[in-house]
Each structure stands twice: as C-alpha cells, then as structure tokens.
Amino acid sequence: MNPTTLTLKELAHAYRNKTLSPVEVTETYLQKLEVGSTYLKLLSNRALARAKYAEQLFNQGIDSSLLQGIPIALKDLLDTKGDITTSGSKVLAERKAAREDANLVQMLDKAGAVFLGKTNMTELAFSGIGMNPHYGTPGCALDKTRIPGGSSSGSAVAVAEGLACAAIGSDTGGSVRIPASFNGLVGLKTTNGQISTEGCVPLSTTLDTLGPIAKTVEDAWILYSAMTQKPFEKLEPPSHKLNFLIPTTLVFNEIDEEVATAFEDTCKRLEKQGHQLTRKAVPEFQIIFDLYAQYGSFASHESLALYEDMLEGRGDEVDPRVGKRILMLKGRLSTDYLKLVYTQKRLIKQFWQTYKRYDAILCPTVPILPPTIKALEDDVAYFKTNNLVLRNTSLFNFLAGPSLSVPCRTTNEDLSVGLMISAQPNREKWVLELASSIQNS
C-alpha cells in the first residue's frame, strides 16, 4: 500500500486498524519531498517528532481527532515557531523567525496534525495565477506546462501530486478555490472572520480567510472540523429536493466551451434528480465590480497600507506584477476605502436576505481552463487572465459566506473543471453536504 495515494479518511482508518502507522507514513512522505517550487521549507524534524507522538497516543488508546498523525502542508504565510515566514517574498525572507505558531497552526497541532513543510505561493498572496519569479512556479499537477492557480499554488500541487495528504491555504479573492479547481481538488473558502488569521502574513485584513485543500469533500470536512475545533459529525445528504440559483450576471462571460459544457451537464444531472435550478440575473454581482472600479478593492487598499514602505524601499526586489497591483491605489482618498467598507456591510445583509429562498448558488469556479505558463509571460495576457480567474470567486469573498470548489468534470486533455457552491455565512457544513451529494450522484 502506498500511503501517499490515500485520502485523509482512508489514512485515518488505516491508523486505527493498525495497517499503517504515523511514523512510517510520515517517513514515506518525507522521502518524496525536496525544497523547490512546491515546498519552500521542509519541517522534517518537527514532522517526525509529531508522528512519533501520534503513534504513542494510538498505542495508549488515545484518539484526539481524525487528524491525529495525518501529514499536511501549510501555505508559507502561516507562522511556525522558529521558522521564517516568507509569504513567497525574498524581502520577507530576511525577517526574524516566528516566536510561536500561528493560531490555526496551534489548533491543528493540538488535533495531532503532522506538518510536512511550508508551501510556495504567489508573493504576498496577491494573484490568482500562482506564478512566483523568486522561488519558481509549480506547474499544474495535471499538466506541468500550465499554471497551478494561486495564490495557494504549492498547497494545491502538493496535495494533487501526493506530496501531502491535505493542505491549508488562504483565500482572499479565490486563492483556495482557484488552485483546487485547476488541480482537480476540493477547496473551501470559509466564512469571513470565522477562523483566526493571527500569525499569518496579511494581504487584506477584511477579506483574508484560511481554508482546507483536500482530495475529497469528506477530507475537507475533517480538516475544517479540526480548524474550527468542532466535534466531527458525519456529513448527511440533503433530505429534500433543492432550489439552486444559477446567476446569469457576469459569471459566464468569456467562458471556455469545455467549462460551460461541464457546468451544464452537472445542472442537467441535478434537474434529473428533481432539484430546481433557477436561472436569473443577479445585479448585485455587477454592483460589486462597480464598487471596486469606483473606490478600489479591499486587497489593494489594505495591502498598500501594509507594504507601501517595503515597496518604496525595496520595490525592485518584489514581483513587479504584485507591486503594480498594490501601488495602483497610491494617493487615493481614505474616504474611498471607508465608503467601500460601509457599502459592503449593507450589501452583504441585503444580498443574503434577497436570495434566502435558494439553498445555494452554483456557478463555474473559474470560467477558463488553466493556460500555459509560457502564455502568461506577457504582462497584458497575465493581467487579463488574472482578472478572469479571480472574477467568479472574488464575488463570494466580498459577500463573506462559505464557497467551495468541487471537481465536476475531467476534460479530454485530463484537465479539471471546478463547480463552485456558495451559501450564506456560517453554513460550511451545508455547503460541504451539498458538494458531497453532487460529487457522489
């Protein structure tokens, strides 16, 4: 049995029936790992120590959680004690080592997780593409010539290539869901503010969230349960016929034919099962983009406040595409930012009240298949593609609720198409239950 091919659930079961042990599994994973474009740092000593501890607990009959002894990867914007957190940046790589684990890392450590290493990412998490000029770009696991999606590029590629059982990513505009979609994985953007980001390198203090990237919906649920310190409960399929909203505003613009076909086939399958799919315009989506056009985005405003001094002093050492997006709001009035803040609060409340009759909102995670890395060497193509891959996902960062990408089709070129399922804040379990039902239908 090759343990690196197992799902989190399968591995947890193997530990409990004594067919595998945390130490041998961790050693198997570590033998496959090296520092490069996927992992920026390996935590081998810590991983083996925690694997031995997990094994001791099992031998003593102590079972702390389903995450006990499970090898996972951490995006390198989460602090781990004694290590420098780079956030994909050469400048931040010169910082002092973290004095303690990030809040979430502490929680997962208590749950028994084994941390294999810190994964690569777009610098400062500011792109949906996943390219990094400093540390290299990990190609998409399904086609190494193509982009992996960002900004949690290394986390997704690690899981898809059997270099981690699951991983933690961050999602400010789609950075968990986009690479999950491109790499054939499940990625959950959690409700804004639900999981502490203390000890994480920030991009947008308003929109930053942390979420799981996993091989299956159930794996994502197991990891999410540990992230929120909630008792694990089984996912239950919906007991009634569902009413899904299919927005016709923006989300299908410039869509690849294969993505459109995959989405429509999924919709037909749901209708055959008796579910109702309502297609209608959602003007709030256009309002969100109009707000960003008028006032600037949260990520641009807040990253400028965080990194303006760094860019002024050492901007030539920062990815120029990231630096350009941060500096684009330089000189804007603070009232623009405040108007954006106040409007978002009103719009979130209004939106979920308006569409409360729907069980969830469905649309393609990303409207296009991942282009080649070479095709995005040109800045014009890069920025156009970045806007396009972030378009659908970023809507639900603004709207604050959980949003999940689940694979719905493999194309003739063996690429993955993601279906995005979104709901009102704090309904993660519901979104995962819907995804599980759709995935298994």
Side-chain angles (χ1 to χ4, degrees), residues 76-91:
D76 197 24
L77 51 60
L78 286 151
D79 284 346
T80 50
K81 184 177 180 180
D83 302 308
I84 297 172
T85 305
T86 71
S87 195
S89 166
K90 285 289 189 183
V91 177

mmCIF file of all heavy atoms in Angstrom, residues 76-91:
data_model
loop_
_atom_site.group_PDB
_atom_site.id
_atom_site.type_symbol
_atom_site.label_atom_id
_atom_site.label_comp_id
_atom_site.label_asym_id
_atom_site.label_seq_id
_atom_site.Cartn_x
_atom_site.Cartn_y
_atom_site.Cartn_z
ATOM 1 N N ASP A 76 2.994 29.024 3.074
ATOM 2 C CA ASP A 76 4.049 29.762 3.769
ATOM 3 C C ASP A 76 3.693 31.221 4.037
ATOM 4 O O ASP A 76 4.477 32.132 3.808
ATOM 5 C CB ASP A 76 5.364 29.684 3.003
ATOM 6 C CG ASP A 76 6.552 30.083 3.889
ATOM 7 O OD1 ASP A 76 6.436 29.970 5.120
ATOM 8 O OD2 ASP A 76 7.581 30.522 3.340
ATOM 9 N N LEU A 77 2.467 31.425 4.524
ATOM 10 C CA LEU A 77 2.118 32.691 5.161
ATOM 11 C C LEU A 77 1.641 32.450 6.593
ATOM 12 O O LEU A 77 1.275 33.386 7.299
ATOM 13 C CB LEU A 77 1.071 33.469 4.354
ATOM 14 C CG LEU A 77 -0.228 32.823 3.880
ATOM 15 C CD1 LEU A 77 -1.096 32.303 4.973
ATOM 16 C CD2 LEU A 77 -0.982 33.808 3.004
ATOM 17 N N LEU A 78 1.683 31.170 7.012
ATOM 18 C CA LEU A 78 1.346 30.797 8.380
ATOM 19 C C LEU A 78 2.631 30.618 9.176
ATOM 20 O O LEU A 78 3.529 29.871 8.777
ATOM 21 C CB LEU A 78 0.564 29.479 8.389
ATOM 22 C CG LEU A 78 -0.885 29.533 7.929
ATOM 23 C CD1 LEU A 78 -1.293 28.199 7.316
ATOM 24 C CD2 LEU A 78 -1.794 29.854 9.110
ATOM 25 N N ASP A 79 2.729 31.293 10.313
ATOM 26 C CA ASP A 79 3.916 31.170 11.147
ATOM 27 C C ASP A 79 4.035 29.784 11.757
ATOM 28 O O ASP A 79 3.044 29.209 12.223
ATOM 29 C CB ASP A 79 3.871 32.188 12.290
ATOM 30 C CG ASP A 79 4.192 33.599 11.862
ATOM 31 O OD1 ASP A 79 4.708 33.777 10.737
ATOM 32 O OD2 ASP A 79 3.928 34.536 12.647
ATOM 33 N N THR A 80 5.254 29.257 11.746
ATOM 34 C CA THR A 80 5.601 28.080 12.527
ATOM 35 C C THR A 80 6.810 28.462 13.389
ATOM 36 O O THR A 80 7.759 29.078 12.892
ATOM 37 C CB THR A 80 5.945 26.876 11.635
ATOM 38 O OG1 THR A 80 6.897 27.259 10.634
ATOM 39 C CG2 THR A 80 4.694 26.341 10.960
ATOM 40 N N LYS A 81 6.739 28.124 14.649
ATOM 41 C CA LYS A 81 7.735 28.567 15.620
ATOM 42 C C LYS A 81 9.156 28.208 15.184
ATOM 43 O O LYS A 81 9.440 27.072 14.803
ATOM 44 C CB LYS A 81 7.447 27.938 16.980
ATOM 45 C CG LYS A 81 8.372 28.425 18.092
ATOM 46 C CD LYS A 81 7.985 27.811 19.429
ATOM 47 C CE LYS A 81 8.909 28.304 20.539
ATOM 48 N NZ LYS A 81 8.535 27.702 21.859
ATOM 49 N N GLY A 82 10.038 29.220 15.212
ATOM 50 C CA GLY A 82 11.435 29.013 14.872
ATOM 51 C C GLY A 82 11.742 29.104 13.391
ATOM 52 O O GLY A 82 12.903 28.962 12.989
ATOM 53 N N ASP A 83 10.727 29.363 12.562
ATOM 54 C CA ASP A 83 10.924 29.438 11.121
ATOM 55 C C ASP A 83 10.578 30.825 10.598
ATOM 56 O O ASP A 83 9.717 31.509 11.155
ATOM 57 C CB ASP A 83 10.049 28.407 10.400
ATOM 58 C CG ASP A 83 10.321 26.988 10.861
ATOM 59 O OD1 ASP A 83 11.502 26.596 10.858
ATOM 60 O OD2 ASP A 83 9.364 26.284 11.239
ATOM 61 N N ILE A 84 11.231 31.227 9.517
ATOM 62 C CA ILE A 84 10.918 32.496 8.859
ATOM 63 C C ILE A 84 9.763 32.272 7.897
ATOM 64 O O ILE A 84 9.807 31.367 7.065
ATOM 65 C CB ILE A 84 12.138 33.046 8.109
ATOM 66 C CG1 ILE A 84 13.277 33.351 9.092
ATOM 67 C CG2 ILE A 84 11.765 34.298 7.317
ATOM 68 C CD1 ILE A 84 14.588 33.719 8.422
ATOM 69 N N THR A 85 8.734 33.085 8.003
ATOM 70 C CA THR A 85 7.579 33.003 7.119
ATOM 71 C C THR A 85 7.795 33.971 5.968
ATOM 72 O O THR A 85 7.865 35.184 6.169
ATOM 73 C CB THR A 85 6.292 33.352 7.882
ATOM 74 O OG1 THR A 85 6.183 32.509 9.024
ATOM 75 C CG2 THR A 85 5.068 33.163 6.997
ATOM 76 N N THR A 86 7.892 33.461 4.746
ATOM 77 C CA THR A 86 8.270 34.309 3.617
ATOM 78 C C THR A 86 7.087 34.910 2.870
ATOM 79 O O THR A 86 7.230 35.937 2.221
ATOM 80 C CB THR A 86 9.091 33.513 2.587
ATOM 81 O OG1 THR A 86 8.233 32.583 1.909
ATOM 82 C CG2 THR A 86 10.236 32.762 3.257
ATOM 83 N N SER A 87 5.941 34.266 2.897
ATOM 84 C CA SER A 87 4.802 34.664 2.067
ATOM 85 C C SER A 87 5.211 34.801 0.605
ATOM 86 O O SER A 87 4.735 35.670 -0.114
ATOM 87 C CB SER A 87 4.183 35.982 2.578
ATOM 88 O OG SER A 87 2.917 36.201 2.017
ATOM 89 N N GLY A 88 6.132 33.930 0.174
ATOM 90 C CA GLY A 88 6.574 33.939 -1.216
ATOM 91 C C GLY A 88 7.445 35.114 -1.593
ATOM 92 O O GLY A 88 7.663 35.380 -2.769
ATOM 93 N N SER A 89 7.986 35.835 -0.596
ATOM 94 C CA SER A 89 8.730 37.072 -0.838
ATOM 95 C C SER A 89 10.197 36.919 -0.451
ATOM 96 O O SER A 89 10.526 36.363 0.600
ATOM 97 C CB SER A 89 8.102 38.213 -0.016
ATOM 98 O OG SER A 89 8.953 39.339 0.036
ATOM 99 N N LYS A 90 11.085 37.435 -1.271
ATOM 100 C CA LYS A 90 12.503 37.462 -0.932
ATOM 101 C C LYS A 90 12.800 38.480 0.169
ATOM 102 O O LYS A 90 13.673 38.276 1.014
ATOM 103 C CB LYS A 90 13.327 37.799 -2.177
ATOM 104 C CG LYS A 90 13.468 36.661 -3.165
ATOM 105 C CD LYS A 90 14.376 35.570 -2.634
ATOM 106 C CE LYS A 90 14.697 34.545 -3.712
ATOM 107 N NZ LYS A 90 15.526 33.426 -3.201
ATOM 108 N N VAL A 91 12.062 39.575 0.169
ATOM 109 C CA VAL A 91 12.275 40.603 1.191
ATOM 110 C C VAL A 91 11.845 40.071 2.558
ATOM 111 O O VAL A 91 12.587 40.186 3.547
ATOM 112 C CB VAL A 91 11.510 41.894 0.846
ATOM 113 C CG1 VAL A 91 11.693 42.928 1.962
ATOM 114 C CG2 VAL A 91 11.980 42.462 -0.486
#
